[in-house]
């Protein structure tokens, strides 16, 4: 007699491999960030710099969402990574450099090219180094100022000045023009330094926080709503200086200042891991 088949004898359903392709949701968010950068450039060409600044900040918000959405929906892909990197180059490299050049640097002549080019070149070098070092960098820190923060520093300065009625236009040789020169140069060079900037990526979501933290967050939201341009610019100024403070503190304490957590044996990449 043939025994009756049991549940354990039933053939298991084969798991279909996940198709490799282009996922709509995270890439749509990335395209939204890219369109925001394009819109910002168009608005700057029409002299509407305040709208251009808001569009760059919108691109930064969308850029912070696409990767998280991809991880939450398990739709990461190599295409998405490359698309995100190219979008970042436009939104936080080319667009801020063009906007600040049209706003304050073009009347300086060829000297005005210097900070704009240093910024866009720094953004390209920063993104290239990030892509190469992504597997060996301490996840708690960024190596150099991240490009969205550099863009927020430059664009935040423009927004804070334009938002004041007294500065509807930038006069050649004025302190505003030279301040824009210095801020752009600082942001561009900071992207290619080895100073460690906190990434806010590593934290325990289940850990409780003191009640005062919520009060501070509430006050920060209130201040941002009261005067968003100057509050955001001030916040990114503090962040832009924080990496150098951490670098100096570690150097004074004799601690390692490099954020490279694992050595590499690739001789062609040796200069990237200092």
């Amino acid at each position: 007699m043939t025994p009756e088949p049991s549940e354990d004898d039933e053939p298991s359903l084969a798991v279909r491999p996940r198709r490799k392709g282009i996922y709509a949701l995270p890439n749509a968010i990335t395209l939204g960030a890219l369109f925001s950068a394009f819109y910002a450039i168009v608005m700057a060409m029409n002299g509407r710099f305040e709208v251009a600044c808001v569009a760059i900040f919108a691109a930064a918000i969308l850029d912070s969402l696409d990767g998280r959405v991809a991880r939450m929906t398990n739709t990461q892909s190599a295409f998405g990574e490359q698309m995100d990197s190219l979008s970042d180059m436009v939104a936080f490299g080319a667009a801020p450099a063009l906007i600040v050049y049209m706003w304050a640097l073009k009347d300086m002549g060829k000297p005005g090219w210097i900070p704009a080019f240093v910024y866009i070149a720094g953004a390209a070098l920063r993104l290239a180094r990030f892509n190469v070092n992504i597997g060996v960098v301490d996840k708690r820190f960024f190596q150099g100022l991240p490009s969205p923060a550099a863009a927020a520093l430059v664009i935040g300065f423009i927004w804070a000045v334009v938002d004041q009625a007294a500065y509807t236009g930038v006069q050649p040789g004025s302190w505003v023009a030279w301040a824009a020169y210095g801020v752009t140069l600082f942001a561009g060079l900071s992207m290619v330094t080895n100073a460690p900037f906190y990434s806010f990526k590593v934290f325990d979501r289940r850990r409780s926080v003191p009640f005062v933290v919520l009060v501070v967050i509430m006050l920060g939201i209130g201040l941002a709503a009261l005067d968003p341009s100057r509050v955001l610019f001030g916040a990114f100024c503090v962040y832009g200086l924080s990496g150098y403070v951490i670098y100096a503190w570690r150097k004074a304490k004799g601690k390692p200042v490099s954020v490279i957590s694992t050595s590499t044996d690739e001789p062609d990449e040796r200069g990237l891991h200092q």
Side-chain angles (χ1 to χ4, degrees):
M1 297 179 63
T2 303
E4 295 181 359
S6 62
E7 295 181 357
D8 295 336
D9 296 332
E10 293 181 0
S12 59
L13 297 176
V15 179
R16 295 178 61 184
R18 198 175 70 180
R19 293 178 59 188
K20 293 183 178 180
I22 300 173
Y23 297 99
L25 184 58
N27 287 289
I29 297 174
T30 303
L31 286 173
L34 186 60
F35 175 78
S36 296
F38 170 75
Y39 182 74
I41 295 173
V42 173
M43 289 297 101
M45 292 171 62
N46 293 327
R48 302 180 63 185
F49 292 102
E50 187 173 3
V51 178
C53 294
V54 174
I56 293 296
F57 277 105
I61 295 173
L62 292 172
D63 178 69
S64 67
L65 293 177
D66 56 3
R68 288 175 172 83
V69 170
R71 289 188 293 271
M72 290 173 60
T73 57
N74 196 25
T75 54
Q76 304 99 315
S77 66
F79 178 88
E81 292 177 359
Q82 297 301 321
M83 183 68 185
D84 181 68
S85 183
L86 292 171
S87 174
D88 286 353
M89 183 58 209
V90 176
F92 311 124
L98 291 172
I99 293 170
V100 72
Y101 177 79
M102 287 185 286
W103 181 66
L105 303 177
K106 66 178 181 180
D107 292 329
M108 294 183 177
K110 290 184 179 179
W113 298 1
I114 297 174
F117 176 72
V118 168
Y119 180 89
I120 195 171
L125 293 170
R126 169 71 177 79
L127 290 168
R129 185 174 66 175
F130 175 81
N131 292 337
V132 171
N133 285 354
I134 192 169
V136 296
V137 172
D138 187 343
K139 294 185 181 300
R140 297 174 300 169
F141 297 96
F142 289 118
Q143 186 181 18
L145 184 66
S147 55
L153 193 61
V154 174
I155 295 300
F157 175 76
I158 298 174
W159 192 12
V161 174
V162 172
D163 204 28
Q164 307 303 313
Y167 296 105
T168 55
V170 179
Q171 300 298 324
S174 65
W175 72 268
V176 176
W178 286 109
Y181 192 106
V183 170
T184 306
L185 200 61
F186 172 81
L189 294 175
S190 294
M191 284 189 282
V192 295
T193 62
N194 289 320
F197 290 84
Y198 193 65
S199 67
F200 300 100
K201 290 183 178 180
V202 180
F203 61 93
D204 190 356
R205 296 179 178 87
R206 297 171 297 178
R207 184 180 177 182
S208 61
V209 296
F211 180 75
V212 68
V213 174
L214 296 179
V215 176
V216 172
I217 293 174
M218 177 189 67
L219 292 175
I221 294 173
L223 288 174
L226 183 65
D227 194 346
S229 59
R230 285 188 285 186
V231 170
L232 288 173
F233 176 62
F236 281 102
C237 281
V238 172
Y239 182 73
L241 295 173
S242 65
Y244 298 102
V245 173
I246 296 173
Y247 184 92
W249 181 81
R250 285 188 169 188
K251 201 78 172 177
K253 293 291 185 180
K255 296 182 178 181
V257 294
S258 175
V259 297
I260 302 298
S261 57
T262 308
S263 62
T264 180
D265 296 327
E266 292 291 336
D268 294 337
E269 299 176 4
R270 189 173 300 161
L272 299 173
H273 303 277
Q274 301 298 322

